[in-house]
Amino acid sequence: EVQLVESGGGLVKPGGSLRLSCAASGFTFSSYSMNWVRQAPGKGLEWVSSISSSSSYIYYADSVKGRFTISRDNAKNSLYLQMNSLRAEDTAVYYCARDTSMVEGWDVWGKGTTVTVSS
Amino acid sequence: EIVLTQSPGTLSLSPGERATLSCRASQSVSSSYLAWYQQKPGQAPRLLIYGASSRATGIPDRFSGGGSGTDFTLTISRLEPEDFAVYYCQQYGSSPPTFGGGTKVEIK
């Protein structure tokens, strides 16, 4: 079964750090670009960051540039998001999503992990 | 950045009725790289439509997508009880990828 499972969320104080993980299974992880998308409580979806299959291309939303770092380990079938200098507005459910990099779009999503930034 | 505007914000309909959701882009969407997602409370988004009009694997044929350029629609031909949810459009042909604000389809 094709699956993505996020972990690493939790409660952190403003200015703190957190590292999210996304474990992939059931498909050839190294063949796909991957994305992080977040959803603040009661709000819509916001793209956060993307990474190509070999990590050659990395992109960030302006709202997280300079604070978040996306990475992957194809040997471990895992995607990561290192989040530093966290702010209250980073509070959200964070999803990882598989990117076919073709017209087929972002076809597999994890269930998400919740990040709460509060003092 | 391409801004996607969805309308209406909320659609109140009864089971069995037809739902038509709109997604308008601030500039032309590249190669119809336009997707629709369904999201239910507490769940992740689920891909319904990609390439503006192709149904994703396992999606019932009561869901259909159409449009090109800057105007796209998602149609649910006859609403089933499980279709009441929030629907998002997304463009993924230009960087950064962007989502619309969503349309909530609620039971009337």
Side-chain angles (χ1 to χ4, degrees):
Chain A
E1 179 192 4
V2 174
Q3 198 172 9
L4 297 171
V5 179
E6 302 93 338
S7 60
L11 175 62
V12 60
K13 289 181 167 53
S17 298
L18 214 52
R19 189 194 196 207
L20 305 184
S21 299
C22 170
S25 59
F27 66 99
T28 305
F29 179 71
S30 59
S31 296
Y32 290 87
S33 296
M34 296 294 295
N35 301 284
W36 286 101
V37 176
R38 68 184 180 183
Q39 186 169 36
K43 303 296 185 183
L45 301 169
E46 179 190 17
W47 168 75
V48 173
S49 183
S50 299
I51 186 168
S52 63
S53 58
S54 60
S55 305
S56 298
Y57 301 97
I58 287 175
Y59 305 95
Y60 298 99
D62 287 344
S63 57
V64 307
K65 203 172 292 183
R67 300 187 298 124
F68 289 12
T69 302
I70 191 172
S71 63
R72 65 189 296 160
D73 185 336
N74 287 342
K76 294 184 178 179
N77 292 332
S78 293
L79 172 72
Y80 306 102
L81 186 68
Q82 177 66 45
M83 304 187 296
N84 298 331
S85 303
L86 283 162
R87 307 166 180 167
E89 54 265 35
D90 296 318
T91 295
V93 176
Y94 285 73
Y95 299 101
C96 58
R98 186 175 82 168
D99 187 345
T100 64
S101 298
M102 296 185 292
V103 72
E104 285 80 3
W106 302 6
D107 61 342
V108 180
W109 293 60
K111 293 186 185 331
T113 187
T114 300
V115 173
T116 303
V117 184
S118 174
S119 55
Chain B
E1 171 175 323
I2 296 179
V3 176
L4 300 178
T5 303
Q6 292 189 239
S7 62
T10 302
L11 202 49
S12 298
L13 295 168
S14 301
E17 289 194 293
R18 182 184 187 90
T20 303
L21 288 65
S22 172
C23 176
R24 179 161 289 177
S26 60
Q27 53 190 284
S28 186
V29 174
S30 173
S31 303
S32 292
Y33 278 36
L34 190 288
W36 290 92
Y37 297 89
Q38 177 192 68
Q39 188 178 35
K40 297 179 180 178
Q43 296 186 17
R46 178 173 73 141
L47 178 66
L48 297 176
I49 301 287
Y50 63 86
S53 60
S54 298
R55 275 188 298 278
T57 303
I59 302 303
D61 60 7
R62 64 179 180 274
F63 291 92
S64 62
S68 64
T70 60
D71 288 291
F72 299 88
T73 58
L74 174 70
T75 301
I76 311 171
S77 59
R78 287 178 55 86
L79 282 163
E80 298 287 341
E82 62 267 28
D83 299 336
F84 292 92
V86 178
Y87 293 83
Y88 295 95
C89 59
Q90 178 211 21
Q91 69 80 22
Y92 51 101
S94 300
S95 186
T98 51
F99 293 90
T103 291
K104 182 179 182 180
V105 178
E106 66 175 23
I107 300 176
K108 185 174 181 180

